[in-house]
Amino acid sequence: MLFDTHCHLDDPRLAEDLAAVLDRATEAGVGRMITIGCANDVASVMSAVDIARRHPDRISATVGVHPHDAKHLDDEFGDAIHDAGADPSVVAIGETGLDFHYDHSPHAAQEEAFRKQIAIARQLGKPLVIHTRSAPKETLQILREERAKDVGGIIHCFSEDARFAASALDLGFVSSFSGIVTFKKAVAVQEAARKQPSDALLVETDAPYLAPIPKRGKRNEPAYVAYTAARVAELRGLDAEALAQTTYENALRVFGIRA
Ligand SMILES: [Zn+2]
Ligand SMILES: [Zn+2]
């Protein structure tokens, strides 16, 4: 069985035919998913929690504010994230982190929102889902300074190199590989997927974004995590079944989900 550790099921592109999306996930052997509750207002964040509540046996949620939306995280929104984070269907805080590639929010706002969400995760005792792009040093530094290791978590949509993965793991963060690992040019990401210790390895889609080869350019959906898992298995010289089982068990452990 496969575990898609990161998808956005509340995105209108998936929400509009969610029943069919979930049926195809089941057919592809995807037993569980984490839907990321991440938007710039409380109502939209709660739509992910609602999806998880309706499918408690196979979907869990996260709540948080994406680095793109960091400028929207005021005290009131922070309190709402904290309250929503206490819900039993919510297994992590995020995605939070730094995105200095798109710079949709000023760096100072991103750093403040990141620190604030690490504090929330520590208060709730729940792990963090980290989004990091073009800010590897800064991300690791903030995780260290805010003592994120107490809760640990996931570097989602891994797009750095093996050295970064090792540094993150020292801080309690496992790496989740997305469709990027199937792209020909992603040599550093492939090397990281090969070298990552087997108990610190996850797979995800980040649907509806970033569909893996052979679906590249199409709308992504949880069923396609099978392509990513197959590529990671190939890189590690494993059969797909063994890789699926390992990453499934890792996900249950990291998110504290009792199967
Ligand atoms: Zn992300
Ligand atoms: Zn995401």
Side-chain angles (χ1 to χ4, degrees), residues 23-123:
D23 283 348
R24 285 194 294 273
T26 303
E27 277 166 38
V30 180
R32 275 190 174 271
M33 289 150 261
I34 305 284
T35 191
I36 304 298
C38 227
N40 49 27
D41 61 76
V42 184
S44 328
V45 166
M46 291 309 289
S47 63
V49 180
D50 284 341
I51 292 172
R53 282 182 183 148
R54 273 187 270 127
H55 305 273
D57 52 332
R58 57 175 169 165
I59 303 175
S60 305
T62 72
V63 292
V65 178
H66 194 282
H68 291 341
D69 298 316
K71 54 178 181 253
H72 300 288
L73 182 59
D74 54 16
D75 286 344
E76 197 183 334
F77 195 9
D79 290 346
I81 297 288
H82 181 281
D83 292 348
D87 190 283
S89 66
V90 174
V91 293
I93 299 301
E95 57 190 287
T96 178
L98 302 172
D99 193 315
F100 292 175
H101 178 75
Y102 286 109
D103 277 343
H104 289 325
S105 280
H107 290 191
Q110 293 192 39
E111 292 182 14
E112 194 189 330
F114 189 15
R115 291 181 196 275
K116 198 180 261 185
Q117 289 178 82
I118 296 172
I120 292 171
R122 282 164 46 87
Q123 284 159 17

Side-chain angles (χ1 to χ4, degrees), residues 6-8 36 38 66 95 131 156 204 206-207 209:
H6 192 112
C7 53
H8 296 263
I36 304 298
C38 227
H66 194 282
E95 57 190 287
H131 171 111
H156 112 83
E204 66 171 65
D206 205 9
Y209 313 102

